[in-house]
Amino acid sequence: MRVHPPRIASMILGALAAMAQTKVKRLLAHSSIGHVGYICTGFSCGTIEGIQSLLIHQWVCLILSIYL
């Protein structure tokens, strides 16, 4: 797996921007920016396990977003 600075920046900056938000809609929007980094990481692994972990992560985020 190669390290891509935009992927890492997306994860870190998305998380930091989400922590600074006080409104739930903005928090979810900024945290989804961070999730793009996780999606790219799952795809870049190029293995079934990487795709499976990506899908599990997305389902968990979907369920948590619904219940917020």
Side-chain angles (χ1 to χ4, degrees):
M1 179 173 71
R2 296 180 349 201
V3 177
H4 292 135
R7 182 185 330 150
I8 295 170
S10 172
M11 288 187 266
I12 293 171
L13 294 175
L16 291 175
M19 287 191 298
Q21 298 304 315
T22 56
K23 296 183 180 180
V24 175
K25 284 187 179 182
R26 286 185 173 222
L27 182 135
L28 290 174
H30 283 91
S31 68
S32 66
I33 295 170
H35 292 292
V36 171
Y38 295 117
I39 291 169
C40 292
T41 303
F43 279 128
S44 69
C45 287
T47 62
I48 295 297
E49 290 84 6
I51 302 298
Q52 287 174 343
S53 64
L54 159 73
L55 293 173
I56 290 170
H57 175 77
Q58 290 303 308
W59 276 107
V60 169
C61 291
L62 175 72
I63 291 170
L64 289 175
S65 296
I66 288 172
Y67 286 111
L68 280 178

